[in-house]
Amino acid sequence: MTDDMLRAPAEVKYADELDWLESIDDGPKPFSWRLSPKMVRLFILGSERADGLDREVSQKWFGDRSFVERSIVTLASDRGLLLIGDPGTGKSWLAELLAAAISRNSTLVVQGTAGTTEDHIKYSWNVSMVIAKGQSRASMIPSPIMTAMERGVIGRFEELTRSTSDVQDALISILSEKYVSIPELDDDNIVFAQPGFSIIATANSRDRGVNDLSSALKRRFNFVRIPVVTNKRSEAEIVRFRTTELLRRHQIELDVPPNLLDILLQSFADLRTAAASATSDDEKLESALSTAEQIGVLEDAILHSTFFGDRTLRAQTLAGSLVGSLARRSPEDLAILNKYWHGVVEPRSKQDGGDWPAFLEGGREAIATLS
């Protein structure tokens, strides 16, 4: 079934694993949960030998287990969960995994934007049916959040701080009252949330000041802050995990040499250090330099090597992908990258050798092309 989808949701991608966990799960389950809290944690963080299971459960999210446990406990209460952090820290992926494990449905999603309206979190109308037969429950189009309420499952709200205050105010009512009124109808005009309903929202910490959350809305959420991954070992695990998925999805047989992965990780670490010591925004790359962006750089390099190379990932290609992905402003970002290449990559290529000289040359060529 996953072959028919460009990107299968977690409950489809890991359906076999979820079925097996559900079959052996004898723990207490809150409300209408498909798995117990312990099994939800196991599904997300993977199994260990001490668990004594008959099969291995893969690790799907890499981070502190306390973040996952706090998220699960929050969803077992009557409060919403707000995952907040920098771009690329895995907030949306964690939200999807939680919804998949708890409800076996992670697709009831509202995307917060400046154009998001109350209709997107409550309901709208099928105009042709209203004209033909009038307003009724049959002619109503429930939002993903209302559908989650009716089914007693998890609804998701992505980029909450990008939506306007009117939308946020409407969400306060849903989180506190746990029902939605439909004043256009005379009968059957209230949709009550069923046990098990909750909302997982995500917010980008870099969007502070865009549409700040009100104190009233903050009180309806438990906050879980997801930090940027700075541990090289953990970051390498995430990049390997995502890269393996990428190769499998594209049916590509290509090895990622460990030394090139080390160069990618070191380059991002160096650039983050430079950004932290910068005194103005003009001295910082526009990129958040997140783990997700590392994966994007590696994906670009792999696809370029597959379609336009000899199916071998080389340092020059990786360097070109890094420059092409991170140089978003001209000339500011190009100047920052040029300074990094001359001040850090060039000395390192002379000192360490290996693939660094080729990485140096590939980066120089890419910068010259874009300049």
Side-chain angles (χ1 to χ4, degrees), residues 70-84:
R70 178 167 166 74
S71 299
I72 295 170
V73 169
T74 295
L75 295 172
S77 70
D78 62 349
R79 296 172 67 83
L81 170 64
L82 179 61
L83 302 174
I84 186 168

Side-chain angles (χ1 to χ4, degrees), residues 225-238:
R225 298 187 178 274
I226 310 297
V228 174
V229 178
T230 55
N231 181 281
K232 280 190 178 181
R233 181 177 178 182
S234 298
E235 195 162 42
E237 288 177 339
I238 297 171

Side-chain angles (χ1 to χ4, degrees), residues 16 38 48 88 103 140 151 220 229 234 301 305 330:
D16 181 62
K38 284 187 176 180
E48 300 174 354
S103 305
M140 190 178 73
R151 297 179 184 176
R220 270 71 180 184
V229 178
S234 298
S305 300
S330 181

